[in-house]
Amino acid sequence: LVYSQRLFVFVFQTGHTTGPSLNNDKLYKFAYSAEVYVDQVKASLQKSAGYRISSGVDVNLLWRNPDNDDDQLIKITIKDVQVENVNERPAAENIFKGKSTEKIIGKEYLEALQRPIVVELVRGKVKTFYSYQNEPGFAQNIKRGLASLFQLQLHSGSSLEVDVSGKCNTTYHVRQDQVTKIKDLDSCEIEKKRFTSHNRILDVGTKATSATVYVLEDSFIKSIKAEENFVFVLNYRRKTGAKIVSKQRLELKSVQAGIGLIAAKQVAGVIKTLDPNYVAMPLEAEPVKSECKKCPSLSEHWQSIREHMHPDRLSKPEAAKTFLSFIQNIRKASKEEILKIIKSESKEFLPQVVDAVTSAQTPESLEAVLEFLDFKDASTFILQERFLYACGFASHPSETLLKTLTEKFKGDVANEDIRETLVIVMGALIKKLCDREGCKLPAVVEAKRLILNRLEKAKKDDNVRMYLLALKNALLPEAIPVLLKYAESGEGPISSLAATALQRYDPSFLTKEVKETMNRIYHQTRKVHEKTVRTTAAAIILNSNPSYMEVKNILLSIGELPMEMNKYMLSMIQDILHFEMPSSKIVRQVLKDMRTHNYERFSKMGSSSAYTGYITRGPDVSATYSLDILYSGSGILRRSNMNIHAFDRSSELHAIQVVIEAQGLESIIAATPDEGEENLDSFAGMSAILFDFQLRPVTFFQGYGDLMSKMLSATGDPMNVVKGLVLLTDFLQEIQLQSGPTARAEFMGGLAIDISGGMEFSLWYRESKTNVKNRVAVFIAGNTEVDSFFVKTGMETTLETETALDFISTVQFSQYPFLVCMQMDRVDSPFRTHMTKYESLPSGRRYTARRGKAATLAGNEYPLHQENSNMCKKVFGTKSDSAGSWF
């Protein structure tokens, strides 16, 4: 009889291939541990912050389906729980020292944790998870994490598997008595909060891996080692980042005699016999939220940080830091709490409050700010503009936001500038939602239709300009034919705006029709165009894989163009060659032909120029600056254009563009306008793009009368283009660890910015000067934390810097060729980083390890071409003191 029993067990075990198998009447005693580590990405785990939960685990078989050996009911009991540091640490730095497990975890949690669970395994997978209702969610999740470890299959292959992490793609590799389970964490379907920044360069890169190795003996588990790794790095500075490592170990210590099986035909009968209080629950982790008991209210927090948000302090890192912390608290607040602050604040602080409330991007914050702002009231112009710009910079805008702005635009708007800003911002939101596959959302479809339809019906130039600016932000493929029409047929500023909108499209969108139109504009096949439009058309052709003949025709035109345009085009070609731009190869081929490459053509005089150089070249992100400036034949500025682009291997960010344009100013110095520009109205203005978002242009003066009054009354102070606080990086990911706790990685970057520009004349000294001032301060904060209710462990990282970048162009037009000096200067920039690792208990006991570094990036005058350097020596060598002579 004994022999036949042994034979039965042997046949059963060797024939059982789909899942783990427990023997009858046995109690399996395991040692279990779950560890978490938080640290910098490349740091050794031996110095990480973290903790370990260890316990005994008893496992026994309760029931096996008499009709199916692969259907088993097992009981799992956690015993003798201990909590300790994950690494050895002196007693003074050990937050658990002298505290019992019950004191650390809490009696209720410990009792819940040690109540047994029952798991039904069918073919190695958990079919049903049984536990007690109304237990703390954290304790349930720890037990779910343990139950998930017993889930495995004994043949190689992939499947969708549900465990504590959700429904995930899982792959098994089986080799003799070892099984490796690889879980694709990116595929896991589970309700967790997550959002990212709109542009990849400003975002956080993530990588998550999960592997579990099972060692089997007699078709059951001898040991399990599981490890999950989560890595987060700032794409634009990969040294700044964090990692979370979660490890689980389960090791069989002994097999003892246990209780017999429960006799029943169905699982329900076994559960009822065992304990009728058991209920079936999902194996996926349930949401668990840790309550903050001593956190200040939103009003209290605002009062403690308010002074750092004063307008005079907005170019400091502390302002950006305060801005980020305020956003974090607004995201937890109710509409009423937010409104209370907005309604009680003074005028000088209100714009900063609006920046933060809008940037929070919660339904409550949007409702609060919209209830406060009245677009029918022109007196709150500044607040309305700050709200709209914050919407334009939104990191993860919602369809609701676009729908709300569309309704506002269709309603009564008292101020025309706000009406224009509204539609420009709508364009930016369309682009962001389309980039996230939201182009077919009802609000996006309606906003696109409104802009395109109203542009078609627009009669006034101001209205046409408004909708073209919206399209310049939206970059819709279907808008290209409309932009082509206005670029070729429009007049002056309208034509120029449509052309610069086309210039923003990726070259892949620029079809044969686009290039044919640009060639017609440049070569003036159908009508005479202004220099600004023609040079933009040339730039589009040369930046979109030009053909041999297109390049040859452009080169042959040099020499036949107006004098300063000749010089500008020559500079553009030389810039393409020296900077090795994509079209440089075809340009070199064309230049082998002596008809295009000759001294007469390449020795044209003039002061216009184009130059591109590197601000920085790094392994993560590189940045370029470009300065180009186009003059009229009389020496008056026509257009100056400063750009900064950041890019990595796969994406690009137009960080800053400041364009100053002027026209019709020849009458001031009794000069003759260039051909085709005889009847242009006097005008000067500035347009800016900031982080891919085209802002509403600013006008310095419009018309001769306005120009003269400004010359007589101006103070010489630059005009502000944008001033405020921008949420640059906005990343949040909640993570369900396989061992049960939840983790959270949050990275935020705030930018305090002040861009201003001016255009000045000295009639006495026959000089003009443009000055673009960029003042920026950046603060980046990352917090990566594992929250286990009774203990939190994590790491905080901060990075801060401030700098100023000035672009100055000085022209002396008392002689010809006139003297032009361009300067691009950056002041010394302090740069500070801090890192804090911590472990803390709710009682307030805390371990902290800090490290910081400070440095200064030396100021720099960015090099331009040698011709400019020679010119600057002449300008500053001959220039008299003209202080007080500027208008």
Side-chain angles (χ1 to χ4, degrees):
L1 185 62
V2 169
Y3 175 77
S4 62
Q5 281 179 333
R6 283 178 180 167
L7 183 63
F8 170 78
V9 169
F10 175 77
V11 170
F12 171 76
Q13 288 175 343
T14 55
H16 190 95
T17 59
T18 57
S21 175
L22 287 76
N23 285 331
N24 301 352
D25 310 329
K26 296 293 182 185
L27 178 66
Y28 297 82
K29 298 189 81 67
F30 290 87
Y32 174 68
S33 68
E35 301 169 345
V36 292
Y37 303 79
V38 183
D39 211 328
Q40 291 176 296
V41 176
K42 293 186 177 179
S44 162
L45 293 184
Q46 277 71 37
K47 293 185 178 180
S48 299
Y51 59 87
R52 178 188 298 115
I53 300 173
S54 55
S55 70
V57 172
D58 288 355
V59 180
N60 63 284
L61 185 69
L62 294 175
W63 171 84
R64 180 179 281 118
N65 190 332
D67 301 323
N68 179 7
D69 288 337
D70 266 341
D71 186 1
Q72 306 166 91
L73 209 58
I74 63 172
K75 184 168 82 168
I76 303 171
T77 309
I78 295 173
K79 309 178 87 172
D80 308 321
V81 180
Q82 300 292 321
V83 183
E84 57 193 331
N85 286 119
V86 76
N87 289 314
E88 288 292 324
R89 194 167 288 151
E93 296 176 1
N94 186 343
I95 62 171
F96 305 112
K97 180 75 175 174
K99 283 183 174 280
S100 67
T101 304
E102 186 176 301
K103 197 83 173 169
I104 295 167
I105 295 180
K107 188 177 180 183
E108 180 194 355
Y109 282 85
L110 188 59
E111 285 176 356
L113 207 53
Q114 297 186 151
R115 287 191 200 107
I117 54 171
V118 176
V119 173
E120 183 183 7
L121 288 175
V122 177
R123 292 186 294 280
K125 306 295 175 77
V126 175
K127 183 184 176 185
T128 319
F129 171 81
Y130 294 96
S131 188
Y132 295 97
Q133 265 187 325
N134 303 322
E135 283 190 347
F138 168 72
Q140 294 280 32
N141 287 346
I142 292 279
K143 293 193 278 190
R144 286 181 169 106
L146 180 57
S148 296
L149 285 180
F150 286 88
Q151 184 162 250
L152 80 151
Q153 65 185 44
L154 300 183
H155 61 276
S156 295
S158 299
S159 63
L160 268 177
E161 193 171 280
V162 177
D163 67 3
V164 65
S165 306
K167 185 191 276 188
C168 312
N169 292 329
T170 309
T171 304
Y172 286 89
H173 302 280
V174 179
R175 192 181 64 202
Q176 295 178 330
D177 286 336
Q178 184 171 302
V179 179
T180 303
K181 177 165 70 173
I182 306 293
K183 186 160 57 178
D184 179 3
L185 293 171
D186 291 330
S187 72
C188 294
E189 297 172 19
I190 192 168
E191 277 296 313
K192 285 290 167 195
K193 190 182 269 189
R194 176 185 168 90
F195 49 74
T196 59
S197 300
H198 173 254
N199 186 280
R200 185 186 177 280
I201 288 174
L202 298 175
D203 205 17
V204 173
T206 65
K207 187 177 181 183
T209 58
S210 170
T212 307
V213 178
Y214 296 82
V215 177
L216 307 178
E217 192 175 83
D218 293 337
S219 291
F220 193 55
I221 296 161
K222 184 181 180 184
S223 69
I224 303 174
K225 287 184 180 178
E227 183 172 321
E228 290 178 307
N229 285 270
F230 300 88
V231 174
F232 308 91
V233 290
L234 281 173
N235 288 336
Y236 50 94
R237 192 177 190 272
R238 299 184 76 83
K239 284 182 183 177
T240 302
K243 68 178 173 185
I244 299 170
V245 179
S246 171
K247 296 185 178 185
Q248 289 171 281
R249 289 187 179 87
L250 190 70
E251 192 172 347
L252 183 63
K253 292 298 184 184
S254 65
V255 182
Q256 301 174 6
I259 57 171
L261 301 186
I262 297 173
K265 286 188 177 183
Q266 301 290 335
V267 171
V270 182
I271 296 297
K272 193 173 182 181
T273 303
L274 190 67
D275 188 339
N277 290 320
Y278 273 121
V279 292
M281 292 183 173
L283 189 58
E284 298 104 316
E286 63 183 274
V288 175
K289 196 170 181 182
S290 183
E291 293 298 325
C292 185
K293 292 176 182 174
K294 295 180 181 179
C295 290
S297 68
L298 186 65
S299 292
E300 290 168 339
H301 176 251
W302 169 241
Q303 289 306 317
S304 70
I305 63 169
R306 182 176 178 271
E307 63 183 275
H308 299 298
M309 301 280 260
H310 191 278
D312 295 341
R313 299 188 180 186
L314 282 190
S315 59
K316 298 295 178 187
E318 195 64 38
K321 178 183 178 180
T322 303
F323 174 61
L324 297 182
S325 68
F326 193 32
I327 288 173
Q328 286 176 313
N329 278 298
I330 292 168
R331 284 177 171 169
K332 301 169 193 167
S334 67
K335 173 186 164 183
E336 288 69 30
E337 289 177 290
I338 299 166
L339 263 174
K340 183 181 175 185
I341 290 173
I342 298 175
K343 287 180 175 178
S344 62
E345 199 41 83
S346 65
K347 281 184 179 180
E348 60 181 354
F349 286 96
L350 253 180
Q352 291 75 262
V353 173
V354 169
D355 286 342
V357 170
T358 312
S359 299
Q361 298 170 74
T362 64
E364 293 80 8
S365 65
L366 180 60
E367 285 176 24
V369 74
L370 285 172
E371 186 170 316
F372 176 74
L373 292 176
D374 181 4
F375 285 84
K376 297 173 188 174
D377 179 5
S379 67
T380 58
F381 165 81
I382 291 172
L383 298 180
Q384 292 169 37
E385 187 173 60
R386 291 286 275 263
F387 161 71
L388 291 172
Y389 278 160
C391 290
F393 292 120
S395 54
H396 51 278
S398 65
E399 184 190 7
T400 304
L401 177 60
L402 178 57
K403 187 177 180 180
T404 302
L405 296 190
T406 306
E407 291 304 315
K408 293 289 179 190
F409 180 75
K410 290 194 289 188
D412 290 336
V413 180
N415 185 290
E416 276 305 307
D417 284 348
I418 291 298
R419 184 172 169 75
E420 186 175 348
T421 308
L422 255 170
V423 78
I424 291 171
V425 171
M426 284 164 58
L429 296 184
I430 288 169
K431 172 78 165 63
K432 290 185 176 185
L433 289 166
C434 282
D435 285 348
R436 299 201 175 194
E437 300 179 349
C439 243
K440 294 182 180 176
L441 292 169
V444 177
V445 173
E446 184 190 354
K448 286 197 292 186
R449 190 187 300 122
L450 182 145
I451 293 168
L452 289 167
N453 288 350
R454 293 207 179 181
L455 175 58
E456 192 179 342
K457 295 171 185 174
K459 297 286 185 270
K460 291 182 181 177
D461 279 359
D462 284 352
N463 287 340
V464 171
R465 187 186 79 141
M466 178 168 76
Y467 296 115
L468 287 177
L469 284 164
L471 292 179
K472 191 175 179 181
N473 271 330
L475 296 182
L476 299 170
E478 61 264 43
I480 289 175
V482 182
L483 294 171
L484 286 175
K485 182 187 86 171
Y486 280 103
E488 189 168 19
S489 306
E491 295 298 326
I494 297 296
S495 177
S496 182
L497 176 54
T500 56
L502 287 163
Q503 195 175 14
R504 293 197 70 201
Y505 281 82
D506 186 271
S508 61
F509 287 100
L510 302 180
T511 60
K512 183 184 175 187
E513 185 190 358
V514 175
K515 292 176 76 177
E516 285 174 352
T517 307
M518 293 301 108
N519 276 289
R520 287 198 302 270
I521 291 172
Y522 177 73
H523 295 290
Q524 303 194 114
T525 308
R526 291 184 177 172
K527 61 175 281 193
V528 173
H529 293 275
E530 292 177 28
K531 292 193 296 289
T532 50
V533 184
R534 294 181 70 190
T535 51
T536 302
I540 292 170
I541 295 164
L542 292 168
N543 289 333
S544 53
N545 192 25
S547 67
Y548 183 92
M549 284 309 298
E550 283 176 326
V551 175
K552 185 174 180 178
N553 287 334
I554 286 174
L555 281 166
L556 287 172
S557 73
I558 297 174
E560 310 299 323
L561 305 169
M563 192 183 309
E564 282 298 327
M565 189 175 166
N566 270 329
K567 184 65 176 177
Y568 182 86
M569 289 305 302
L570 194 56
S571 272
M572 187 191 289
I573 295 295
Q574 289 167 335
D575 194 39
I576 287 169
L577 294 173
H578 107 265
F579 202 68
E580 294 292 337
M581 292 179 189
S583 57
S584 59
K585 191 174 179 182
I586 192 79
V587 171
R588 283 194 171 90
Q589 283 180 22
V590 175
L591 288 174
K592 288 177 183 177
D593 181 350
M594 292 307 294
R595 282 175 299 175
T596 56
H597 191 192
N598 58 59
Y599 176 78
E600 197 277 330
R601 195 179 311 284
F602 277 74
S603 61
K604 293 298 177 188
M605 293 176 65
S607 301
S608 299
S609 63
Y611 186 85
T612 303
Y614 278 102
I615 291 177
T616 179
R617 297 177 80 170
D620 307 327
V621 172
S622 296
T624 63
Y625 65 94
S626 65
L627 295 170
D628 62 78
I629 191 158
L630 175 64
Y631 293 98
S632 66
S634 57
I636 299 287
L637 173 80
R638 213 43 193 88
R639 182 186 65 209
S640 79
N641 189 350
M642 180 196 80
N643 288 279
I644 296 175
H645 285 85
F647 55 92
D648 60 14
R649 289 190 183 95
S650 61
S651 53
E652 184 176 329
L653 173 68
H654 198 168
I656 293 176
Q657 179 190 68
V658 181
V659 180
I660 294 181
E661 287 197 68
Q663 65 178 38
L665 305 184
E666 282 76 13
S667 58
I668 301 173
I669 57 170
T672 305
D674 288 348
E675 182 188 1
E677 300 184 358
E678 297 87 354
N679 300 317
L680 294 179
D681 282 344
S682 298
F683 166 82
M686 183 159 59
S687 170
I689 290 174
L690 189 59
F691 301 110
D692 279 333
F693 170 39
Q694 167 72 57
L695 308 178
R696 179 176 54 80
V698 172
T699 299
F700 296 149
F701 56 81
Q702 177 86 52
Y704 187 76
D706 189 25
L707 165 62
M708 296 313 293
S709 67
K710 293 267 172 66
M711 287 180 72
L712 294 170
S713 64
T715 62
D717 294 335
M719 185 175 284
N720 185 262
V721 182
V722 60
K723 184 174 185 175
L725 297 153
V726 179
L727 183 57
L728 208 58
T729 294
D730 193 16
F731 173 90
L732 173 68
Q733 185 173 338
E734 291 183 347
I735 303 155
Q736 178 56 56
L737 297 181
Q738 190 171 275
S739 54
T742 55
R744 178 184 175 101
E746 185 173 21
F747 287 82
M748 297 178 79
L751 178 78
I753 190 161
D754 185 349
I755 298 180
S756 58
M759 186 175 179
E760 305 169 335
F761 293 98
S762 170
L763 296 178
W764 183 260
Y765 291 101
R766 294 180 74 81
E767 282 187 353
S768 73
K769 189 175 187 179
T770 59
N771 190 350
V772 177
K773 294 176 178 287
N774 299 276
R775 302 283 179 271
V776 292
V778 177
F779 188 88
I780 296 157
N783 186 18
T784 309
E785 183 177 80
V786 180
D787 185 355
S788 293
F789 255 72
F790 59 87
V791 59
K792 287 184 180 181
T793 185
M795 184 179 75
E796 295 171 348
T797 308
T798 65
L799 181 156
E800 61 183 84
T801 186
E802 58 184 299
T803 192
L805 190 69
D806 287 350
F807 168 46
I808 304 162
S809 172
T810 307
V811 186
Q812 290 185 351
F813 46 85
S814 55
Q815 58 183 330
Y816 195 87
F818 38 81
L819 302 177
V820 179
C821 173
M822 292 190 296
Q823 299 162 278
M824 185 168 165
D825 300 338
R826 178 175 53 77
V827 300
D828 288 355
S829 308
F831 184 86
R832 294 177 286 273
T833 59
H834 290 92
M835 186 270 294
T836 305
K837 290 184 280 193
Y838 62 89
E839 296 153 7
S840 68
L841 297 174
S843 62
R845 189 184 284 193
R846 185 178 172 95
Y847 158 75
T848 308
R850 290 187 175 89
R851 200 167 74 210
K853 193 162 73 173
T856 300
L857 302 174
N860 189 21
E861 181 169 340
Y862 289 98
L864 300 171
H865 37 77
Q866 186 60 46
E867 196 178 68
N868 182 68
S869 301
N870 297 338
M871 197 81 83
C872 288
K873 289 175 186 174
K874 288 183 182 179
V875 168
F876 291 109
T878 61
K879 186 177 172 186
S880 306
D881 180 16
S882 56
S885 298
W886 306 102
F887 78 79

